[in-house]
Amino acid sequence: MIPNEVGALLAYLGRLDPRLIRTGTGEARDQIAQWHHLLGDVPLETGHGWDTRLIAREHILNSPYPILPADIARRWNAYRRDRLHRHTDPTPTADPDDQAAWTAELARTRRAVATGSAQPAQHRALTGGRARPDLEARLREIGSCIPPHVRTQLATYRPTRAAREATIAEGWPDALGVQCEWCHAAEGLPCRSRRVGPDGGARGNVPRTTPHPSRLESAAAQHTQQPATASERPRPSSTASRPAPNGRDMEGPVTRPLSADAANSLLRKAA
């Protein structure tokens, strides 16, 4: 601000807070000189959210003490830091081989942002939004985002997941595909061993390597109730065209229902 702007600011503040009014000519001149010395680098207003009069008015409304020029200077420094923190230097248009021109353009851009003459340049950030309506259909069409050869290489580091996928591929029921009624583990999460303390509260929450027997029974029951689709139904063998001894046609292999003990033994071997 120039001395004339400082004088106009003091006249405005004197109407809001009479304690800032100086009646003598010498006192008024000294007051303007003091404020200009501290606020010479602070603009009166910018086009991007800074107005010294609004800052001073807010201070008068919220503080019982007379406003000082240092109060405005501190708010201006915080304003500068915030703008520079949100600014990302754009690529200068100067020749990169001309180091002086390149540095000078960067300095001008930062100075313009700090003084409120230009808006901070920000990179586009990721924003949250609703998923595309056809995303689920495309995922079902693709099957998995992990290629088969990569899944095979990851089997060594994910034995539990590999055992589960092998169980599903062989046509056995998926124990993790249902919720556990005993420990209330959600679908896809392993069962947990919980102990009941003397006070009746749960003690311990360690993941189990094998599901609870009740979860295996629920998975087997659900697997039996689900009808096999055309893609899941096994193809008949070469002996299906030959008549059976009792005169009936032989069908392809039928998926056997899995008992709790058999499924528990299979998962224990896979783990």
Side-chain angles (χ1 to χ4, degrees):
M1 284 185 286
I2 61 178
N4 292 340
E5 293 177 338
V6 174
L9 176 63
L10 289 173
Y12 170 76
L13 297 179
R15 292 194 299 267
L16 301 181
D17 188 357
R19 292 175 297 180
L20 298 175
I21 298 177
R22 299 295 183 266
T23 56
T25 305
E27 293 180 355
R29 185 184 299 109
D30 294 341
Q31 185 186 32
I32 293 176
Q34 178 191 16
W35 281 62
H36 178 260
H37 182 72
L38 296 175
L39 302 180
D41 298 334
V42 180
L44 182 63
E45 62 178 346
T46 64
H48 302 290
W50 172 264
D51 193 330
T52 306
R53 291 162 295 190
L54 297 180
I55 298 298
R57 180 178 180 272
E58 180 183 354
H59 178 87
I60 293 174
L61 291 175
N62 298 324
S63 176
Y65 301 101
I67 187 171
L68 299 176
D71 298 328
I72 300 177
R74 281 193 291 266
R75 293 290 299 272
W76 169 250
N77 292 333
Y79 175 82
R80 285 169 51 95
R81 286 194 301 268
D82 176 69
R83 292 178 64 83
L84 291 176
H85 179 71
R86 293 185 287 112
H87 175 68
T88 302
D89 291 325
T91 303
T93 58
D95 186 4
D97 295 332
D98 190 351
Q99 184 66 27
W102 181 280
T103 306
E105 185 174 349
L106 283 179
R108 286 195 304 267
T109 304
R110 294 180 182 178
R111 190 180 303 109
V113 172
T115 57
S117 302
Q119 285 283 59
Q122 300 180 0
H123 288 306
R124 296 181 59 184
L126 295 176
T127 57
R130 302 183 60 182
R132 297 176 53 181
D134 60 337
L135 181 59
E136 296 183 0
R138 293 184 60 185
L139 289 178
R140 288 194 299 266
E141 181 181 355
I142 296 174
S144 175
C145 59
I146 303 178
H149 67 280
V150 177
R151 188 182 299 274
T152 303
Q153 297 177 1
L154 293 177
T156 307
Y157 306 96
R158 303 187 305 175
T160 305
R161 181 66 178 269
R164 181 186 179 189
E165 293 176 354
T167 301
I168 298 175
E170 294 177 1
W172 296 98
D174 181 19
L176 300 184
V178 297
Q179 182 181 1
C180 182
E181 300 178 357
W182 178 262
C183 65
H184 304 288
E187 296 183 10
L189 298 180
C191 293
R192 294 183 175 273
S193 299
R194 297 179 178 177
R195 302 188 306 272
V196 180
D199 56 350
R203 299 291 181 85
N205 199 23
V206 182
R208 290 170 52 95
T209 57
T210 57
H212 288 104
S214 59
R215 192 174 191 179
L216 295 171
E217 295 175 357
S218 301
Q222 181 178 358
H223 182 75
T224 305
Q225 295 175 0
Q226 293 179 351
T229 60
S231 60
E232 296 176 351
R233 188 176 297 112
R235 298 180 179 179
S237 60
S238 59
T239 58
S241 59
R242 294 181 296 177
N246 55 4
R248 299 180 180 178
D249 294 339
M250 296 180 61
E251 299 179 351
V254 181
T255 303
R256 297 174 298 173
L258 180 66
S259 62
D261 296 338
N264 198 0
S265 176
L266 179 62
L267 292 176
R268 187 179 296 107
K269 292 179 180 180

